[in-house]
Amino acid sequence: MFRNRFWVALVLTLPVVFWAEHIQELLGYQAPEFAGSTWIPPVLSTVIFIYGGWIFVQGAWHELRARLPGMMTLIALSISVAFVFSWVVQLGLLDAEPLWWELATLVTIMLLGHWVEMRSIDQAQGALQELAKLLPDLATRITDGGEETVAVAELQDGDVVLVRPGESIPADGVVRRGTSELNEAMITGESRPVKKSEGQDVLAGTINGEGSLRVEVTGTGTNTMLSGIMRLVSEAQGSKSRAQHLADRAAQLLTAVALVAGVLTLIVWQLLGAPIDFSIVRVVTVLVIACPHALGLAVPLVVAISTTLGAQNGLLVRDRRGLEEARLLNVVVFDKTGTLTLGEFRVVNLAVADGVTEEDALRIAAGVEAESQHPIARGIVTTAQDRGIDVPSPEGFRSITGKGVAASVDGAEYHMGGPRLLEAEEAHVPEALRAAAAQASERGQAAIYLLQDGKALGVFVVADAVREESREAISALHERGIEVAMLTGDSWPVANAVAEELQIDTVFAEVLPEDKASKIRELQQEGRKVAMVGDGVNDAPALATADLGIAIGAGTDVAVEAGHIVLVRSDPRDIPRIVTLSRATYRKMMQNLWLAAGYNIVAIPLAAGVLAGWGTLLTPALGAVLMSASTIVVSLNAQLLRRVEM
């Protein structure tokens, strides 16, 4: 709308300026004269005022009704004063020079400024439109009769869809057949393709690789993760931070200053004996140049860009104030299970007897445990698979009640179990294996032995495995001068083992879920700014109590109500990125506030004519150019936020 009105106003402004007497004198030319030529400026300027300027008058009316005068009020006042004054002069009611060309150029430049503003915000929010484009329009549904092409909107939970190589996943679902790698970068920020096979979840909007998949639909429409991301991004971009409230107050203050300055300018110049048209021009220029247009754009544009950057990097901002607080953090408290650790058992240490390699021991142990459903057994098997070891099929698998399991692997009989199995079989255990088991016991970890013919071949230390990403995350937080604490219901030996491995500064162990929030308050009472990182369910009270609640492990449920920020990919390395984004965002906000309001300290006195005695005067049009220039500077400065390395 602003763009269309700008181009029409520009076309109409050109003849107004061309036939303006002041411009003719300034440039030394004579415009053609014919019957009615003197009415070209007033008639076209009136059309410009009604067509292009009325939108500002309507905006001013809404601001005044809300008792919040702002930029629209100043613009409307400026062009209305110029319009009425010019018609009074045109009709011969006052001996002065009309302001037709000033009015026309003022409206045109204001339209241009608003077009630039709206375009900048639209580009910043373009991530929402890009996210919407990720979903395909059509999907291939598998039916009893074969395949059928249907609109994505027709899909229902339980439907099975065929996703061919290179196609987008049409809905959230579970792989029922096939193996492929998916590009999830646009959803989670993960740059590497993610391998998907039977039983694994897939997200709507992600792009299939070279394999063909059959996916059972589990979420459609507004229930998809993509839809949830779009909703949270939209809400965050519409929410106001403290800096935005500061900008709003500054804009209101600047409006009041401009109105007072305009009245004083008129009074002072009239007392000094200046012509009324000169005084009116000064008033119009003051009102124009003091317009808080750039101030109104300073923070919202940064908000839109930072929220988009966050979404592109897997950080969903639910509450702008939470992101703003992140720059002040000096303690980050992590929940242990599922946050710093995988929440699943893995082999974290392995000791073997002489003549046995770690790979062989792990291969045999995984084979013995392959048919067991015990969590520790699954942890051993998964560890072997993670290391690329082919797990052999066992024969004669059986459980030894209260002691362990037994099975044949590659034709040899093996037993696996804990201390009770050792006692029952009076097994020989090499000293190195006993030392590894003793150390595991001190750390609250399970030690599982692999036995053959009464001799221990290896001991597997099994525990909730630390995420590899956790080390990098904690190191990055330390580099930023932020202390790291861990909050867990686990025993002190288990907690201290994890803390020692990750170099965590403070540990709270054996804490009940209902007591986690009180630990956060203890830190806050010490004057700390605290972030809590948890799974958003058991940790909800602590997340809500913290200055910044960060929900990790969101999976496909992005509507985690307890946290201020949701980590889409459940990667603790995103925590330092939040701090980086917060600091960069706040820095840009402050820069923009100064750029938007600071120039008024010099511009308003110049507009009022304090240097008129030295031949320096600002015209309303030049004032509008300077005001629009400040808007462009603020827009460009905000765009520099995109260069921040997350």
Side-chain angles (χ1 to χ4, degrees):
M1 184 271 291
F2 281 112
R3 179 197 62 199
N4 294 341
R5 295 191 183 215
F6 161 73
W7 286 117
V8 173
L10 178 62
V11 171
L12 297 177
T13 296
L14 294 177
V16 173
V17 173
F18 183 74
W19 266 278
E21 292 185 10
H22 181 74
I23 299 299
Q24 293 180 54
E25 293 174 5
L26 185 65
L27 299 181
Y29 69 90
Q30 180 67 47
E33 293 183 3
F34 50 86
S37 63
T38 56
W39 286 93
I40 290 177
V43 171
L44 293 183
S45 294
T46 299
V47 174
I48 292 169
F49 175 78
I50 295 173
Y51 177 73
W54 196 249
I55 187 68
F56 300 114
V57 176
Q58 289 177 322
W61 173 247
H62 292 306
E63 287 183 349
L64 293 174
R65 284 186 63 184
R67 298 181 181 178
L68 293 171
M71 69 179 79
M72 288 294 186
T73 302
L74 287 182
I75 296 173
L77 191 56
S78 303
I79 62 178
S80 297
V81 167
F83 178 73
V84 172
F85 173 78
S86 296
W87 268 114
V88 168
V89 174
Q90 189 71 31
L91 296 174
L93 302 177
L94 184 66
D95 185 17
E97 289 291 328
L99 303 175
W100 295 125
W101 78 271
E102 290 92 341
L103 170 64
T105 54
L106 185 54
V107 171
T108 302
I109 292 173
M110 288 298 180
L111 289 171
L112 174 61
H114 275 72
W115 174 24
V116 171
E117 175 188 350
M118 297 301 171
R119 189 169 181 269
S120 296
I121 291 179
D122 186 61
Q123 287 177 341
Q125 295 177 332
L128 289 180
Q129 288 127 26
E130 291 304 313
L131 286 173
K133 293 176 184 176
L134 295 177
L135 281 178
D137 296 323
L138 302 173
T140 302
R141 182 164 58 190
I142 305 297
T143 65
D144 293 338
E147 301 176 3
E148 64 175 356
T149 301
V150 297
V152 169
E154 295 180 21
L155 293 177
Q156 298 179 354
D157 291 358
D159 285 347
V160 176
V161 295
L162 174 64
V163 184
R164 296 183 174 87
E167 293 183 344
S168 295
I169 306 295
D172 288 358
V174 178
V175 177
R176 291 307 179 205
R177 187 188 303 175
T179 300
S180 187
E181 290 188 340
L182 267 60
N183 180 356
E184 297 184 344
M186 65 295 294
I187 303 290
T188 66
E190 175 58 61
S191 59
R192 294 172 298 181
V194 180
K195 187 174 182 179
K196 297 290 182 179
S197 55
E198 187 173 329
Q200 292 186 301
D201 294 331
V202 294
L203 304 176
T206 55
I207 301 173
N208 188 22
E210 297 180 356
S212 180
L213 298 175
R214 292 200 177 197
V215 177
E216 180 182 340
V217 175
T218 59
T220 61
T222 58
N223 294 323
T224 63
M225 185 177 185
L226 178 62
S227 178
I229 290 174
M230 292 176 66
R231 183 174 64 255
L232 289 184
V233 171
S234 179
E235 289 173 357
Q237 289 181 341
S239 66
K240 288 191 175 183
S241 64
R242 289 186 178 88
Q244 177 63 68
H245 287 295
L246 173 63
D248 291 344
R249 289 195 298 271
Q252 293 172 18
L253 177 61
L254 186 56
T255 300
V257 168
L259 292 173
V260 171
V263 172
L264 288 177
T265 298
L266 179 63
I267 293 172
V268 170
W269 279 114
Q270 286 303 288
L271 290 175
L272 292 175
I276 185 63
D277 58 336
F278 177 87
S279 300
I280 293 294
V281 169
R282 293 300 98 221
V283 171
V284 171
T285 306
V286 167
L287 293 176
V288 169
I289 208 162
C291 175
H293 198 271
L295 199 57
L297 180 64
V299 173
L301 187 54
V302 174
V303 167
I305 292 173
S306 64
T307 307
T308 299
L309 276 177
Q312 290 171 341
N313 286 274
L315 313 175
L316 296 185
V317 181
R318 292 191 62 252
D319 187 333
R320 288 292 316 172
R321 294 195 177 194
L323 180 60
E324 193 168 304
E325 290 290 338
R327 69 187 176 86
L328 302 172
L329 292 177
N330 41 42
V331 179
V332 173
V333 181
F334 285 91
D335 173 55
K336 180 185 81 71
T337 306
T339 303
L340 293 174
T341 64
L342 294 173
E344 300 174 358
F345 286 114
R346 294 289 189 276
V347 176
V348 297
N349 191 21
L350 169 60
V352 294
D354 292 341
V356 181
T357 67
E358 290 188 3
E359 184 175 334
D360 285 343
L362 184 56
R363 176 180 173 277
I364 294 169
V368 173
E369 299 280 19
E371 295 184 3
S372 173
Q373 294 303 313
H374 193 281
I376 289 180
R378 301 318 305 162
I380 293 173
V381 174
T382 302
T383 300
Q385 292 172 338
D386 290 344
R387 296 187 184 184
I389 296 173
D390 290 329
V391 178
S393 299
E395 295 179 1
F397 174 84
R398 62 193 183 279
S399 174
I400 306 174
T401 305
K403 300 181 180 66
V405 297
S408 294
V409 175
D410 297 335
E413 178 80 5
Y414 297 95
H415 293 180
M416 288 200 70
R420 288 186 180 181
L421 181 65
L422 295 182
E423 294 175 6
E425 297 199 4
E426 298 180 352
H428 169 69
V429 182
E431 189 59 35
L433 272 62
R434 289 189 181 278
Q439 186 180 32
S441 178
E442 292 174 1
R443 298 165 67 92
Q445 299 167 331
I448 307 299
Y449 293 89
L450 171 64
L451 306 180
Q452 183 184 31
D453 298 330
K455 180 182 178 182
L457 303 181
V459 62
F460 302 85
V461 179
V462 181
D464 184 5
V466 169
R467 291 175 181 268
E468 288 300 321
E469 303 91 343
S470 297
R471 295 183 178 83
E472 295 180 41
I474 292 171
S475 176
L477 287 170
H478 283 154
E479 289 174 3
R480 288 163 174 77
I482 298 174
E483 182 182 333
V484 178
M486 184 175 70
L487 193 59
T488 179
D490 285 348
S491 65
W492 278 101
V494 172
N496 285 331
V498 174
E500 180 183 344
E501 184 175 352
L502 293 177
Q503 298 183 333
I504 291 172
D505 305 297
T506 305
V507 178
F508 300 102
E510 300 178 4
V511 180
L512 297 175
E514 57 267 28
D515 295 331
K516 288 184 176 182
S518 64
K519 294 298 181 182
I520 299 297
R521 281 193 288 270
E522 286 178 18
L523 292 170
Q524 290 173 325
Q525 288 166 1
E526 296 173 6
R528 315 276 193 94
K529 281 288 186 181
V530 183
M532 172 67 193
V533 186
D535 62 12
V537 182
N538 296 328
D539 302 311
L543 288 168
T545 302
D547 298 289
L548 172 62
I550 303 172
I552 195 171
T556 57
D557 179 14
V558 296
V560 180
E561 296 298 329
H564 299 97
I565 296 176
V566 179
L567 303 188
V568 176
R569 57 188 172 193
S570 306
D571 189 339
R573 291 176 298 184
D574 286 336
I575 310 298
R577 294 189 180 107
I578 293 173
V579 177
T580 299
L581 180 61
S582 175
R583 292 175 178 176
T585 298
Y586 186 80
R587 191 162 55 245
K588 281 299 171 194
M589 284 181 177
M590 292 301 102
Q591 288 173 1
N592 272 3
L593 288 177
W594 278 108
L595 288 170
Y599 85 105
N600 284 286
I601 297 171
V602 174
I604 290 178
L606 283 176
V610 295
L611 297 182
W614 290 269
T616 301
L617 285 172
L618 293 179
T619 65
L622 183 56
V625 169
L626 291 177
M627 189 278 295
S628 297
S630 69
T631 301
I632 293 171
V633 169
V634 163
S635 300
L636 292 176
N637 187 56
Q639 297 296 335
L640 294 177
L641 184 60
R642 298 182 185 277
R643 297 186 179 183
V644 172
E645 293 186 8
M646 298 285 288

